[in-house]
Each structure stands twice: as structure tokens, then as C-alpha cells.
Amino acid sequence: MTESSAAVRNTRQRSAVSALLGEMEGFHSAQDLHAMLRQRGERVGLTTVYRTLQGLADAGEIDVMRPPGGEHLYRRCSEGHHHHLVCRVCGRTVEVAGPAVESWADRVAAQHGYADVSHTLEIFGTCPTCVR
Amino acid sequence: MTESSAAVRNTRQRSAVSALLGEMEGFHSAQDLHAMLRQRGERVGLTTVYRTLQGLADAGEIDVMRPPGGEHLYRRCSEGHHHHLVCRVCGRTVEVAGPAVESWADRVAAQHGYADVSHTLEIFGTCPTCVR
DNA sequence: GCGTTTTTGACAATCATTATCGTTGCCACG
DNA sequence: CGTGGCAACGATAATGATTGTCAAAAACGC
């Protein structure tokens, strides 16, 4: 503890998870990602996948979504803050940005005296393909 | 089967859950509600509480929230569509309405051709009391 | 290279929710 | 008023994702 370094080490497993997310489109569950890494021959423990995903999520490098289905879905996505429009049939996802919503949320929270504000917003619908 | 009635029967348990929700403020988990019913002497099974809550949620009579913590929280709340501003420390909740957000979500979804649109929005912050 | 410290990973534990399935009670009709 | 059908109930077991544990392995700084 005499050290003050960041203490984030660069490991093979972390790179593998990060790389995989870089190639993937759409959302995947932790267990999905774990299975994919296995298929690739990467030897990574499920626990580590969870930990790595949490770390990345904390660092803001990936996005987490909690669909009604229950399991958490992770995805590497563009930097800024944004939300998702998800097809409830096929799962196709569109990233949407809503500056108006952001400011509205902050304003409302401030009106009630709430500080350190964050929010989650997800839009569900049926995409054009699945409607037909 | 010759009948076409709605087949929603009026049971003691359903009334109990509904009544309890009517008296409660704030959000409570299914298990909380179950425990409270027990304390009152109402004999209701946990399974039934879950089923009833789901039914009420489907009917739009109560609101469901899925905080990052994991468990679902239920609350009887005002009729119209609205969202919640929740203190992440003490859990105090404020109902907020955002017509602008509603229309924005619908508009964005429509732009991408999505139909049958719904959305979830929750705002988290630290309430004035907990800030100090 | 060496020691320290983080990280890993197999497994068990947790915990809310859901399924099962025999029993109970509501409701309608005779 | 009695009865039969059918939905609801409820105790328990099952599910399944996530988190905790802890010894062993690996990475980083020197």
C-alpha cells in the first residue's frame, strides 16, 4: 500500500474481452461473451468475464442494459452519453442521442434538490422488419 | 370453454395485496409486501404475491421499477404515464412527468420505423437530505 | 531475476423469481 | 341450495444469473 499506482494490470484475459467487444455488434450477455471466448480457444473464467465487464462499465468504456428479461447485456458503444432503441422481437438496436432528455432529467432532478444525477432510459418497440 | 368471460376471479388474496399497495407509500419489493401481509395476519403465499403483482403491473395499476440493486420494486402510483426520481441513498422517490420526453421517445422510435413503442426511464440522484 | 500485489478461476453461495402440481375456493348454472 | 368446472392458491423445488471465496498464477517495478 506504500505504492500509489493505479494498479490496473494489463492481462491477456482483459485484452481478450476488450477485443471481443470491439468486434461485436449489438448486445451480449456476460455468459454469451464467455462462451464466445471459449470457442475462440481463449481460456477465460466466467468470473473474470464478469469482473472485466464490470470494470469496463465502471470506466465508461462499455454500456450496460438491463432488459426486462433479466440478464445484463453489455456492449461497446460510442463515447458520449446516449440511449438505445431496441426491437423487442429481434433485438436490433439503434443508438439514439437525446440532448433534450439529458438536460430535462438534470433540470428536474435539480428542481427537487437532487445531486449527483444519473439516469437510465431505454425505448422498446417493434422494428420495421418484424412488424410485417 | 363455452364461456367467454374474463376469468379474473375476485379473491381474498388479490384484495389484500391491492389494499396493501393502496396504503403504502414508496416502493416495496414483492418479498417486502409478502412479509407485511404476514404481519397483518393475512395468509398469502409468496407465489401469489408475485402473481398478483405481475397481474396488476400488466393491468397498469401499479408501477414496476428495476433498480441496479437487482430486485423488482412495485408501487401503486398515479394513473398517467410518468417516471421516478429516486434517491440512491435513502430511496426517497419523487414522481415526475415529462411530456416532452414521451413525445421525444415516440418521435425517435417512429423515425426509425419502430412501432408499438414503450420506454423506461429512471433518474437517480442523491436527495437534499442525504447530500448533507 | 525477485518479491510483492493484483488477478485469475473453479466452485460454492446467494437470492429473487418462476415452474410445478395437488388442493382450495369462487362462480354459474341447474 | 347444491354441485361441477375451472381458475387461483400455495408450499416447495428448480432455475439461473450474479457475487463471494481463496489458493495459485501472472504481471509489474526495481
Side-chain angles (χ1 to χ4, degrees):
Chain A
M1 213 272 268
T2 55
E3 304 299 331
S4 61
S5 55
V8 174
R9 293 187 182 176
N10 195 12
T11 66
R12 172 178 54 80
Q13 292 88 344
R14 209 177 291 257
S15 306
V17 172
S18 202
L20 178 59
L21 281 168
E23 302 171 25
M24 304 300 286
E25 288 292 322
F27 283 91
H28 298 276
S29 69
Q31 320 231 4
D32 264 0
L33 293 168
H34 177 238
M36 292 178 205
L37 288 170
R38 285 251 158 142
Q39 279 188 354
R40 289 182 163 207
E42 301 276 358
R43 303 195 76 273
V44 182
L46 177 58
T47 308
T48 301
V49 174
Y50 274 103
R51 263 193 302 240
T52 305
L53 289 173
Q54 274 184 7
L56 291 171
D58 284 348
E61 295 193 33
I62 61 174
D63 221 40
V64 189
M65 194 175 58
R66 316 172 95 277
E71 66 233 299
H72 298 190
L73 300 180
Y74 301 89
R75 182 195 194 189
R76 179 169 139 241
C77 51
S78 51
E79 325 243 328
H81 185 75
H82 61 270
H83 301 289
H84 296 115
L85 170 58
V86 188
C87 174
R88 67 165 62 85
V89 178
C90 70
R92 180 150 46 142
T93 303
V94 180
E95 275 186 16
V96 294
V101 176
E102 315 300 325
S103 57
W104 171 82
D106 288 346
R107 191 170 59 248
V108 168
Q111 276 175 6
H112 291 277
Y114 281 57
D116 194 20
V117 179
S118 66
H119 62 268
T120 65
L121 169 59
E122 277 138 36
I123 310 177
F124 299 96
T126 309
C127 78
T129 308
C130 294
V131 165
R132 296 180 314 136
Chain B
M1 205 270 276
T2 53
E3 305 299 330
S4 59
S5 55
V8 174
R9 292 188 182 173
N10 196 11
T11 66
R12 171 178 54 81
Q13 292 87 344
R14 206 177 294 258
S15 306
V17 172
S18 204
L20 179 59
L21 281 168
E23 302 170 26
M24 304 300 287
E25 287 293 320
F27 284 91
H28 297 276
S29 69
Q31 320 231 5
D32 264 1
L33 293 168
H34 177 239
M36 293 179 205
L37 287 171
R38 284 251 159 141
Q39 278 190 353
R40 288 184 163 206
E42 301 276 358
R43 302 194 78 274
V44 181
L46 178 58
T47 308
T48 301
V49 175
Y50 273 105
R51 260 191 304 239
T52 305
L53 288 173
Q54 273 184 8
L56 290 172
D58 285 348
E61 297 191 32
I62 62 173
D63 220 41
V64 190
M65 194 177 56
R66 319 172 92 278
E71 64 233 303
H72 297 190
L73 299 181
Y74 302 88
R75 181 197 196 187
R76 179 168 139 244
C77 51
S78 52
E79 324 244 328
H81 185 76
H82 60 271
H83 302 290
H84 296 115
L85 170 57
V86 188
C87 175
R88 66 164 66 84
V89 177
C90 69
R92 182 150 44 140
T93 303
V94 180
E95 277 186 14
V96 294
V101 175
E102 316 300 324
S103 57
W104 171 82
D106 289 346
R107 189 171 60 250
V108 167
Q111 276 175 7
H112 290 278
Y114 281 57
D116 194 22
V117 179
S118 66
H119 62 269
T120 65
L121 168 59
E122 277 138 36
I123 310 178
F124 300 97
T126 308
C127 79
T129 306
C130 294
V131 164
R132 295 180 313 136

